[in-house]
Amino acid sequence: MNLEHMGKAAQEAAFELATVATAQKNQALAIIADELEANKDAILAANAKDINAARESGMTDALIDRLLLNEERLTGIANDVRNVISLNDPVGAELDSRVLENGMRLSRRRVPLGVVGVIYEARPNVTIDIAALCLKTGNASILRGGRETFHSNVELVKVIQVALKKADLPAASVQYIEKPDRELVSQLLRLDQYVDMIIPRGGAGLHKMCKENSTIPVIIGGFGISHVYVDHSADMSRSIDVVENAKAQRPSACNALDTLLVSEKVAETFLPRLAERLNKSNVEFVADDAAYSFLEGKAATLRHVADGDFDTEWLSFTLGVKVVADVAEAIAHMRKHNASHSDAILTNDIQSAERFVNAAGSAAVYVNASTRFTDGAQFGLGAEVAVSTQKLHARGPMGLEELTSYKWVGQADYLVRP
């Protein structure tokens, strides 16, 4: 596999995609959705190979769930692609416009980034999300998924490329690095002659490796400890519902709750009630001394917090718990422990809510809502390429607009500079 050839093909495809009409891009997306459903048997058979390999390797049930495709999920993925069709195409839109004193009309116009390289782990739906969003925004993409979804991803990209040909678009608009060699990742990170942006989707190790080795701009995201702070003024019963949803609905997701912070004024009554609810999901509580004393004898699985636990993105049915004095101490804890992804406060005090929202350094901050909403589809963006936790260019779920840049356009009547 020659990555330089892939890069050159992707760049040529990007040049063509940049001027393709929205109608043709939407037609390609519609064909992709139809082809996903038409080829469901082949896709699910490929996915079954990945699931069997994951089980044989001893992968946890929570992580296997991230890999799993079934007919219902595949239909959902196809419908997500159709949803992207309904979204406005940002390419060509003007961000602002003004007429200068010299008569020139100056505007900024949205344009594609060019070629986007995405390195990701697990979740075969990411392959489709990236392809659909890049295609809608006129970007070519080079994808490199993890070993654990190899067969699924290869089959999905085959389907996409068939659909691209049917839509009379270059098949190189979406390419997949089929060899799992780690050296190829290093080559991709240095392919700055052809690739315009790198987006890693995975754990902290992947992001660190990309940031340290890439000669291409990297969007950092996906990793971050998600917190929920239960204020003393919160509705206790409804707060339990939110915490359960944030932790147990899909614990393998990056926006699932990792650490629960509880006001000392309500911890004694709140935590036993929460344990009773979360025991049904076999949640393991990892508690500081104060929280441990309230959970002891109530939580089915409980242990004392150890060094590094509050810095751990669990991605499983494990929940860190800490009792804090107030919202100020909750914010101080979050600043210390990588609160950069999704964080929430449960409160009926508007001053506490505003203080939390203004002080939290997270890409997404919620008042009286689950952290599980940090998602492109939930935000009305269609799908997402990644959740960015950096502070430049894009933050939170990266949808269509975040996959564009802009160019300045000046229009005049044969104007010369004096």
Side-chain angles (χ1 to χ4, degrees):
M1 178 164 283
N2 189 311
L3 256 63
E4 188 164 344
H5 290 169
M6 290 180 70
K8 187 173 182 179
Q11 190 177 71
E12 291 296 325
F15 288 149
E16 183 172 338
L17 289 174
T19 56
V20 169
T22 301
Q24 188 176 359
K25 292 188 288 188
N26 286 341
Q27 181 190 23
L29 291 170
I31 295 172
I32 289 173
D34 292 343
E35 289 291 318
L36 287 171
E37 292 176 335
N39 291 276
K40 66 181 179 181
D41 291 341
I43 294 169
L44 295 181
N47 182 249
K49 294 179 182 178
D50 292 327
I51 296 298
N52 290 336
R55 289 199 175 104
E56 289 175 3
S57 69
M59 190 176 289
T60 66
D61 290 341
L63 291 178
I64 288 175
D65 181 64
R66 299 181 77 178
L67 312 182
L68 179 65
L69 288 177
N70 53 33
E71 192 165 339
E72 181 182 0
R73 287 186 179 182
L74 196 57
T75 298
I77 291 170
N79 287 335
D80 285 343
V81 175
R82 295 186 179 104
N83 185 46
V84 174
I85 297 172
S86 68
L87 301 176
N88 290 331
D89 183 354
V91 176
E94 289 193 349
L95 302 178
D96 50 46
S97 177
R98 61 186 183 274
V99 178
L100 305 181
E101 290 184 3
N102 60 17
M104 179 184 292
R105 180 179 177 272
L106 191 64
S107 63
R108 289 187 297 156
R109 186 174 298 177
R110 286 198 181 276
V111 296
L113 293 170
V115 179
V116 179
V118 187
I119 305 167
Y120 54 105
E121 301 168 351
R123 295 200 176 186
N125 65 292
V126 172
T127 302
I128 302 300
D129 290 348
I130 295 166
L133 291 177
C134 284
L135 183 60
K136 180 84 174 193
T137 49
N139 294 295
S141 55
I142 298 177
L143 313 179
R144 201 278 191 178
R147 292 173 182 267
E148 65 278 5
T149 50
F150 174 78
H151 296 96
S152 304
N153 288 335
V154 169
E155 193 62 38
L156 289 169
V157 173
K158 284 181 183 176
V159 169
I160 292 169
Q161 290 183 338
V162 167
L164 289 169
K165 290 178 181 177
K166 288 184 177 181
D168 199 25
L169 292 177
S173 300
V174 180
Q175 298 180 80
Y176 188 77
I177 299 175
E178 295 186 4
K179 290 186 178 180
D181 302 0
R182 198 169 186 84
E183 176 58 29
L184 292 177
V185 174
S186 298
Q187 290 180 33
L188 176 61
L189 294 176
R190 296 191 297 269
L191 210 62
D192 50 75
Q193 184 179 352
Y194 303 109
V195 179
D196 299 284
M197 178 181 287
I198 293 290
I199 302 176
R201 286 190 60 160
L206 173 63
H207 288 266
K208 184 173 184 291
M209 185 268 289
C210 290
K211 186 165 60 173
E212 292 178 350
N213 294 282
S214 180
T215 58
I216 305 165
V218 177
I219 290 284
I220 298 299
F223 175 80
I225 311 304
S226 291
H227 303 78
V228 170
Y229 167 60
V230 180
D231 188 45
H232 70 276
S233 67
D235 182 314
M236 293 297 109
S237 295
R238 299 174 77 188
S239 293
I240 288 173
D241 293 337
V242 174
V243 172
E244 179 185 34
N245 178 264
K247 177 71 259 180
Q249 190 216 25
R250 195 167 186 182
S252 62
C254 61
N255 55 20
L257 174 61
D258 297 301
T259 300
L260 177 68
L261 306 171
V262 183
S263 167
E264 63 184 12
K265 295 179 181 178
V266 297
E268 186 174 2
T269 55
F270 180 79
L271 287 175
R273 291 176 62 185
L274 178 68
E276 182 180 2
R277 177 74 69 84
L278 295 188
N279 283 342
K280 299 174 184 177
S281 299
N282 297 316
V283 170
E284 177 189 24
F285 290 85
V286 177
D288 74 343
D289 291 341
Y292 193 98
S293 67
F294 299 135
L295 289 167
E296 193 171 15
K298 306 295 183 181
T301 308
L302 174 66
R303 68 173 174 86
H304 285 285
V305 68
D307 288 345
D309 281 342
F310 286 139
D311 298 304
T312 300
E313 186 181 24
W314 297 111
L315 303 176
S316 66
F317 286 102
T318 303
L319 177 63
V321 187
K322 181 179 175 66
V323 175
V324 295
D326 51 24
V327 65
E329 187 177 342
I331 291 166
H333 175 93
M334 289 165 55
R335 284 180 173 173
K336 183 179 179 182
H337 296 284
N338 193 23
S340 57
H341 196 292
S342 303
D343 298 283
I345 181 172
L346 306 180
T347 183
N348 286 333
D349 184 326
I350 190 169
Q351 289 184 332
S352 293
E354 282 301 305
R355 184 172 184 180
F356 186 92
V357 168
N358 291 334
S362 326
V365 186
Y366 300 93
V367 177
N368 297 332
S370 169
T371 58
R372 288 282 291 117
F373 284 100
T374 308
D375 175 84
Q378 292 292 323
F379 277 18
L381 305 176
E384 69 186 35
V385 171
V387 176
S388 170
T389 55
Q390 65 175 20
K391 295 186 178 180
L392 296 177
H393 172 61
R395 296 199 79 192
M398 292 182 61
L400 297 175
E401 288 189 0
E402 288 73 26
L403 284 173
T404 63
S405 182
Y406 63 83
K407 66 172 65 171
W408 290 95
V409 179
Q411 296 171 303
D413 186 20
Y414 299 93
L415 184 66
V416 296
R417 179 172 172 172

